Amino acid sequence: MSGLLNYVSCGALWLGLLVRAPDLLRHRRDPYLRSLCAVLGLAGLCFFLGAPPTVGAVNDVSGVPNLAAPVTYAAITGYCAASQVLVVHWRGGPRVRRTARRWMLAYAVVVLGIAVMFVLGEAPVERRTDLDTYYATTPFIAQMIVLYLLAHLTAVTVTSVMALHWARRVRGGLRAGLILLGAGSLCGGGYSVAKLAAVGARWTGRDWSGLGTTVSPAAAGLGALLTVVGVLVPLAAPRIAEWRRARRTYARLEPLERTLDDLLTRRALRLPRPRVASATTRLMWRQTSVHNALSHLEPYVDRDLYDRTRAEVREATGDSERAEAAAWAAVIRVAVRDEAAPARMPARDDGGRLPDRVPDPAALVRIADALAAPAPAAAPVTTTARTA
């Protein structure tokens, strides 16, 4: 009777709505986003209204026994309408608006039917958890119950079929999100099927109320969890991919920074290391340190060594990018050695210039990979440094 499962499910769905809210504010006219946010908001409202404490509060405040039932059923029907509109926008086509209006009109009629049947029926005994089975044989109230359950089952079935069908045509985070959303809708269908089975058993004189009080809430809760994760996955997938890419690149640049470490420390070229930072920020910090060191090494660069190494590796491998990375690695090794030698002086102004241009981030990774490979047995003799 605590309603903990309902409130947790509600919180999960409204968390998904909160995450999507900034996108909705930036794209207010996007019908897909509006429908998606309506689905999350109304689904959370259904769980909130269906919690036994909320049911009791609504009944007590209104003074009408079981008024919470048609209110909750109306919210569920609104959720069904939003789900159908979302499916319509997914599918697209020339008659999207007309089809969406028809679905909304159909479910508006269902809401009206729920209200009329509740008024015509009699439900004097408050039932907070098993109203469906308790009043399954009561005129008008039984029809109200079956009406909302069939409307809900129709909505989740269509949503599940469309989501899983679309998932076959896409890839990546969107596909994972659609599969989860379809699975969540299937679990939502389990809610309706269990309730209908319990009601049908009541018509035949059996007591299957446990289906409505235990199986249905569990299926609905699992469906809510899968739905909200399915909504969040397409949003989070690009950010996770970026985080993984930045972390991997940061690790691959370590051999290059290690080669330049003594220079960075002696010349105080390294920026303060960020204590608490994202993977992208730490990557930028490492790249900036590397560029500072390469700029400082410019007078010690051996352009002839660079050209010779690049030509040799390109001739041996036929790979221009690999040849360029190997040439940079050879130049950096020698430049670091010459800069640290007290008897060495920078090359003349016309000889010690960086080859072509400072490497871009992708080239830095390839250079780091080349530096991570075993160094040549005999280091080339530099031609750009001279004795003081």
Side-chain angles (χ1 to χ4, degrees), residues 335-383:
V336 168
R337 185 190 64 190
D338 289 349
E339 194 276 340
R344 297 286 185 179
M345 294 293 292
R348 296 188 302 273
D349 292 341
D350 59 349
R353 295 188 305 171
L354 285 172
D356 300 328
R357 56 187 174 82
V358 176
D360 58 29
L364 286 180
V365 172
R366 293 192 293 270
I367 295 170
D369 291 341
L371 287 169
V381 178
T382 179
T383 61

Side-chain angles (χ1 to χ4, degrees), residues 164-338:
L164 295 177
H165 177 71
W166 190 16
R168 298 169 58 187
R169 298 159 51 188
V170 296
R171 292 291 183 271
L174 179 57
R175 183 180 187 180
L178 287 169
I179 291 174
L180 289 168
L181 187 59
S185 297
L186 282 176
C187 290
Y191 166 87
S192 299
V193 170
K195 288 276 190 181
L196 286 169
V199 170
R202 184 74 172 83
W203 291 344
T204 61
R206 297 180 179 87
D207 183 11
W208 290 3
S209 58
L211 289 176
T213 57
T214 58
V215 177
S216 288
L222 179 59
L225 177 62
L226 292 174
T227 297
V228 72
V229 174
V231 170
L232 295 179
V233 162
L235 181 65
R239 298 180 183 180
I240 294 174
E242 180 182 357
W243 175 82
R244 292 180 61 186
R245 185 165 50 249
R247 187 177 179 183
R248 184 167 56 249
T249 303
Y250 176 85
R252 289 181 64 185
L253 285 176
E254 196 273 336
L256 177 55
E257 187 188 15
R258 185 172 62 246
T259 301
L260 301 170
D261 182 69
D262 179 67
L263 170 63
L264 289 167
T265 303
R266 284 188 296 102
R267 301 299 183 183
L269 299 174
R270 183 186 281 114
L271 297 176
R273 185 184 183 92
R275 294 180 178 271
V276 180
S278 65
T280 302
T281 301
R282 288 189 287 113
L283 174 61
M284 292 179 62
W285 169 79
R286 178 163 279 181
Q287 288 174 336
T288 301
S289 298
V290 169
H291 279 300
N292 289 345
L294 293 181
S295 296
H296 181 80
L297 289 175
E298 182 173 359
Y300 298 90
V301 166
D302 187 340
R303 182 56 188 258
D304 292 336
L305 173 61
Y306 175 86
D307 292 337
R308 187 169 63 254
T309 304
R310 184 174 62 173
E312 291 174 354
V313 176
R314 184 167 52 189
E315 182 179 356
T317 64
D319 188 337
S320 298
E321 291 184 346
R322 181 178 177 181
E324 182 180 0
W328 269 105
V331 165
I332 289 172
R333 285 192 182 102
V334 173
V336 168
R337 185 190 64 190
D338 289 349

